[in-house]
Amino acid sequence: MSAIPDAARIVRTVRGMAASDGAGVKLTRVIGTPQLPDLDPFLMLDEFGTDRAEDYLAGFPDHPHRGFETVTYMLDGRMRHKDNHGNEGLLVPGSVQWMTAGRGLVHSEMPEQEAGRMRGFQLWINLPAKDKMTAPKYQEFAPDGLPVVTPAPGVSVKLIAGAVDGVSGPIVQPATEPVYLDITLQAGAAWSYRLPDGHNAFAYVYEGGLQLGEGEDARPLAQQELAVLGGGARLQVLAGDAETRLILVAGRPLREPVARHGPFVMNTREELMQAFVDFQQGRF
Ligand code: CO
């Protein structure tokens, strides 16, 4: 039981773990690990962040996706994406690409730089059965397409999806009604945000550290730690003695069976096998 009525429940916390993906890009996997295999509707969260070009130069050459969405949010660095349907674009610092893979595409995500810092997140979000075979689509926004609000002193919130103080992020996805906020807190600054009813949510600190929650349930959350949160309640964040940055993400759970292998996420084993066949026969 919560000591303070209406305070968000902190279900558990986990640390990211070192992983490698694509052609050998080094990253930190936070969701999609043995400790946290998924958090419906979220299937995976990777943080990539390095100043060493050899950690990212190999990039993510051509690979397929079917049945879910990938959300790439860049903090530093430039990444070029290209798919087999003729879509191409450059992700720059502060931009977001919300890609609905739907029935399938083959794409590459390659660094457009040979030195300097590359930093950002890729989040995988599941699609409901009725949307898994829709046509692929992109919602892509440059940095100036993402509104920033200042809901409390020393608190700045960049909105990718969801609303704060009546201002909404640009992403539209009725299937999961996602919230995706990038929050910067000055040292000692505090803010509380009401998590949507019935959503699963998480907070992930990528710079600094903070206190999460209130009263006797409050607990610290350090850099590279993720807290799993219950929805329908007020979450308070209080920065420690340094500037602190975190993402706060929520989505309505789909509560459907998941049959998943690599870049294919379907509902049944038969659909998964069909995805392999369709990919091999060039039907993506
Ligand atoms: Co991809």
Side-chain angles (χ1 to χ4, degrees), residues 60-65 68 70 72 97 99 105-109 122 124 263:
F60 303 88
D62 274 350
H63 60 277
H65 293 283
F68 62 104
T70 69
T72 306
Q97 181 204 62
M99 183 184 86
L105 52 77
V106 179
H107 76 160
S108 60
E109 300 154 289
Q122 189 167 89
W124 288 13

mmCIF file of all heavy atoms in Angstrom, residues 60-65 68 70 72 97 99 105-109 122 124 263, ligand 1:
data_model
loop_
_atom_site.group_PDB
_atom_site.id
_atom_site.type_symbol
_atom_site.label_atom_id
_atom_site.label_comp_id
_atom_site.label_asym_id
_atom_site.label_seq_id
_atom_site.Cartn_x
_atom_site.Cartn_y
_atom_site.Cartn_z
ATOM 1 N N PHE A 60 23.552 -0.361 -38.512
ATOM 2 C CA PHE A 60 22.537 -1.406 -38.625
ATOM 3 C C PHE A 60 22.202 -1.589 -40.107
ATOM 4 O O PHE A 60 21.294 -0.950 -40.625
ATOM 5 C CB PHE A 60 21.283 -1.016 -37.838
ATOM 6 C CG PHE A 60 21.533 -0.736 -36.371
ATOM 7 C CD1 PHE A 60 21.897 0.546 -35.943
ATOM 8 C CD2 PHE A 60 21.410 -1.749 -35.425
ATOM 9 C CE1 PHE A 60 22.136 0.805 -34.589
ATOM 10 C CE2 PHE A 60 21.643 -1.498 -34.080
ATOM 11 C CZ PHE A 60 22.009 -0.216 -33.658
ATOM 12 N N PRO A 61 22.996 -2.427 -40.815
ATOM 13 C CA PRO A 61 22.731 -2.645 -42.248
ATOM 14 C C PRO A 61 21.360 -3.308 -42.445
ATOM 15 O O PRO A 61 20.700 -3.670 -41.467
ATOM 16 C CB PRO A 61 23.857 -3.578 -42.684
ATOM 17 C CG PRO A 61 24.819 -3.659 -41.548
ATOM 18 C CD PRO A 61 24.089 -3.253 -40.312
ATOM 19 N N ASP A 62 20.978 -3.486 -43.709
ATOM 20 C CA ASP A 62 19.641 -3.992 -44.058
ATOM 21 C C ASP A 62 19.140 -5.111 -43.145
ATOM 22 O O ASP A 62 19.802 -6.141 -42.982
ATOM 23 C CB ASP A 62 19.668 -4.528 -45.508
ATOM 24 C CG ASP A 62 19.407 -3.415 -46.505
ATOM 25 O OD1 ASP A 62 19.024 -2.305 -46.070
ATOM 26 O OD2 ASP A 62 19.581 -3.650 -47.721
ATOM 27 N N HIS A 63 17.959 -4.901 -42.580
ATOM 28 C CA HIS A 63 17.303 -5.916 -41.753
ATOM 29 C C HIS A 63 15.794 -5.671 -41.814
ATOM 30 O O HIS A 63 15.364 -4.549 -42.049
ATOM 31 C CB HIS A 63 17.822 -5.874 -40.305
ATOM 32 C CG HIS A 63 17.592 -4.553 -39.638
ATOM 33 N ND1 HIS A 63 18.435 -3.474 -39.804
ATOM 34 C CD2 HIS A 63 16.605 -4.113 -38.832
ATOM 35 C CE1 HIS A 63 17.982 -2.446 -39.121
ATOM 36 N NE2 HIS A 63 16.864 -2.788 -38.517
ATOM 37 N N PRO A 64 15.001 -6.709 -41.598
ATOM 38 C CA PRO A 64 13.544 -6.570 -41.706
ATOM 39 C C PRO A 64 12.873 -6.250 -40.370
ATOM 40 O O PRO A 64 13.491 -6.397 -39.299
ATOM 41 C CB PRO A 64 13.127 -7.972 -42.155
ATOM 42 C CG PRO A 64 14.131 -8.878 -41.487
ATOM 43 C CD PRO A 64 15.415 -8.102 -41.388
ATOM 44 N N HIS A 65 11.634 -5.787 -40.427
ATOM 45 C CA HIS A 65 10.753 -5.694 -39.253
ATOM 46 C C HIS A 65 9.345 -6.045 -39.711
ATOM 47 O O HIS A 65 8.949 -5.678 -40.819
ATOM 48 C CB HIS A 65 10.701 -4.269 -38.679
ATOM 49 C CG HIS A 65 11.979 -3.790 -38.079
ATOM 50 N ND1 HIS A 65 12.416 -4.197 -36.836
ATOM 51 C CD2 HIS A 65 12.910 -2.931 -38.535
ATOM 52 C CE1 HIS A 65 13.562 -3.585 -36.563
ATOM 53 N NE2 HIS A 65 13.898 -2.810 -37.579
ATOM 54 N N PHE A 68 5.244 -4.559 -35.528
ATOM 55 C CA PHE A 68 5.356 -3.637 -34.385
ATOM 56 C C PHE A 68 5.917 -2.302 -34.870
ATOM 57 O O PHE A 68 6.016 -2.058 -36.076
ATOM 58 C CB PHE A 68 6.212 -4.251 -33.268
ATOM 59 C CG PHE A 68 7.639 -4.540 -33.671
ATOM 60 C CD1 PHE A 68 8.682 -3.718 -33.263
ATOM 61 C CD2 PHE A 68 7.940 -5.636 -34.466
ATOM 62 C CE1 PHE A 68 9.990 -3.978 -33.637
ATOM 63 C CE2 PHE A 68 9.255 -5.906 -34.853
ATOM 64 C CZ PHE A 68 10.279 -5.075 -34.436
ATOM 65 N N THR A 70 9.042 0.799 -34.342
ATOM 66 C CA THR A 70 10.316 1.175 -33.747
ATOM 67 C C THR A 70 10.346 2.701 -33.637
ATOM 68 O O THR A 70 9.963 3.405 -34.561
ATOM 69 C CB THR A 70 11.522 0.702 -34.576
ATOM 70 O OG1 THR A 70 11.581 1.431 -35.804
ATOM 71 C CG2 THR A 70 11.447 -0.784 -34.886
ATOM 72 N N THR A 72 12.900 5.762 -32.846
ATOM 73 C CA THR A 72 14.286 6.181 -32.663
ATOM 74 C C THR A 72 14.290 7.650 -32.272
ATOM 75 O O THR A 72 13.749 8.495 -33.000
ATOM 76 C CB THR A 72 15.095 5.979 -33.959
ATOM 77 O OG1 THR A 72 14.941 4.625 -34.381
ATOM 78 C CG2 THR A 72 16.575 6.272 -33.724
ATOM 79 N N GLN A 97 11.979 9.506 -35.002
ATOM 80 C CA GLN A 97 11.346 8.745 -36.080
ATOM 81 C C GLN A 97 10.503 7.648 -35.443
ATOM 82 O O GLN A 97 11.029 6.794 -34.722
ATOM 83 C CB GLN A 97 12.395 8.095 -36.981
ATOM 84 C CG GLN A 97 11.761 7.319 -38.133
ATOM 85 C CD GLN A 97 12.671 6.245 -38.673
ATOM 86 O OE1 GLN A 97 13.052 5.308 -37.985
ATOM 87 N NE2 GLN A 97 13.053 6.399 -39.919
ATOM 88 N N MET A 99 8.391 4.691 -36.472
ATOM 89 C CA MET A 99 8.172 3.867 -37.657
ATOM 90 C C MET A 99 7.214 2.727 -37.340
ATOM 91 O O MET A 99 7.470 1.921 -36.450
ATOM 92 C CB MET A 99 9.508 3.282 -38.146
ATOM 93 C CG MET A 99 9.374 2.456 -39.419
ATOM 94 S SD MET A 99 10.941 1.705 -39.898
ATOM 95 C CE MET A 99 10.909 0.198 -38.919
ATOM 96 N N LEU A 105 8.917 -4.264 -43.746
ATOM 97 C CA LEU A 105 9.850 -3.502 -44.572
ATOM 98 C C LEU A 105 11.254 -3.989 -44.243
ATOM 99 O O LEU A 105 11.464 -4.702 -43.259
ATOM 100 C CB LEU A 105 9.715 -1.996 -44.317
ATOM 101 C CG LEU A 105 9.774 -1.497 -42.883
ATOM 102 C CD1 LEU A 105 11.180 -1.468 -42.337
ATOM 103 C CD2 LEU A 105 9.176 -0.093 -42.801
ATOM 104 N N VAL A 106 12.183 -3.641 -45.115
ATOM 105 C CA VAL A 106 13.599 -3.925 -44.884
ATOM 106 C C VAL A 106 14.292 -2.576 -44.894
ATOM 107 O O VAL A 106 14.108 -1.790 -45.820
ATOM 108 C CB VAL A 106 14.177 -4.815 -46.007
ATOM 109 C CG1 VAL A 106 15.663 -5.084 -45.761
ATOM 110 C CG2 VAL A 106 13.402 -6.129 -46.100
ATOM 111 N N HIS A 107 15.027 -2.286 -43.832
ATOM 112 C CA HIS A 107 15.690 -0.978 -43.805
ATOM 113 C C HIS A 107 17.088 -1.064 -43.197
ATOM 114 O O HIS A 107 17.466 -2.071 -42.614
ATOM 115 C CB HIS A 107 14.826 0.066 -43.066
ATOM 116 C CG HIS A 107 14.833 -0.064 -41.573
ATOM 117 N ND1 HIS A 107 14.474 0.972 -40.742
ATOM 118 C CD2 HIS A 107 15.164 -1.082 -40.750
ATOM 119 C CE1 HIS A 107 14.575 0.585 -39.481
ATOM 120 N NE2 HIS A 107 14.983 -0.643 -39.451
ATOM 121 N N SER A 108 17.821 0.033 -43.399
ATOM 122 C CA SER A 108 19.126 0.167 -42.756
ATOM 123 C C SER A 108 19.120 1.459 -41.948
ATOM 124 O O SER A 108 18.395 2.403 -42.275
ATOM 125 C CB SER A 108 20.241 0.207 -43.800
ATOM 126 O OG SER A 108 20.055 1.313 -44.665
ATOM 127 N N GLU A 109 19.911 1.466 -40.874
ATOM 128 C CA GLU A 109 20.080 2.641 -40.031
ATOM 129 C C GLU A 109 21.590 2.775 -39.837
ATOM 130 O O GLU A 109 22.199 1.978 -39.133
ATOM 131 C CB GLU A 109 19.369 2.407 -38.691
ATOM 132 C CG GLU A 109 17.861 2.154 -38.829
ATOM 133 C CD GLU A 109 17.254 1.335 -37.696
ATOM 134 O OE1 GLU A 109 17.528 0.110 -37.620
ATOM 135 O OE2 GLU A 109 16.515 1.908 -36.873
ATOM 136 N N GLN A 122 16.383 3.592 -28.902
ATOM 137 C CA GLN A 122 15.404 2.939 -29.757
ATOM 138 C C GLN A 122 14.475 2.103 -28.894
ATOM 139 O O GLN A 122 14.917 1.269 -28.104
ATOM 140 C CB GLN A 122 16.032 2.081 -30.850
ATOM 141 C CG GLN A 122 14.919 1.628 -31.825
ATOM 142 C CD GLN A 122 15.422 1.041 -33.123
ATOM 143 O OE1 GLN A 122 15.648 -0.156 -33.214
ATOM 144 N NE2 GLN A 122 15.581 1.884 -34.136
ATOM 145 N N TRP A 124 10.950 -0.313 -28.971
ATOM 146 C CA TRP A 124 10.044 -1.124 -29.797
ATOM 147 C C TRP A 124 8.701 -1.205 -29.080
ATOM 148 O O TRP A 124 8.644 -1.542 -27.885
ATOM 149 C CB TRP A 124 10.590 -2.548 -29.982
ATOM 150 C CG TRP A 124 11.782 -2.648 -30.888
ATOM 151 C CD1 TRP A 124 12.564 -1.625 -31.362
ATOM 152 C CD2 TRP A 124 12.341 -3.858 -31.428
ATOM 153 N NE1 TRP A 124 13.560 -2.131 -32.160
ATOM 154 C CE2 TRP A 124 13.450 -3.484 -32.219
ATOM 155 C CE3 TRP A 124 12.001 -5.211 -31.314
ATOM 156 C CZ2 TRP A 124 14.232 -4.437 -32.894
ATOM 157 C CZ3 TRP A 124 12.782 -6.149 -31.982
ATOM 158 C CH2 TRP A 124 13.886 -5.753 -32.771
ATOM 159 N N PRO A 263 13.386 -9.704 -35.349
ATOM 160 C CA PRO A 263 12.666 -8.503 -35.790
ATOM 161 C C PRO A 263 11.227 -8.760 -36.213
ATOM 162 O O PRO A 263 10.626 -7.922 -36.877
ATOM 163 C CB PRO A 263 13.508 -8.043 -36.984
ATOM 164 C CG PRO A 263 14.012 -9.318 -37.577
ATOM 165 C CD PRO A 263 14.219 -10.273 -36.420
HETATM 166 CO CO CO B 1 15.512 -1.492 -37.597
#
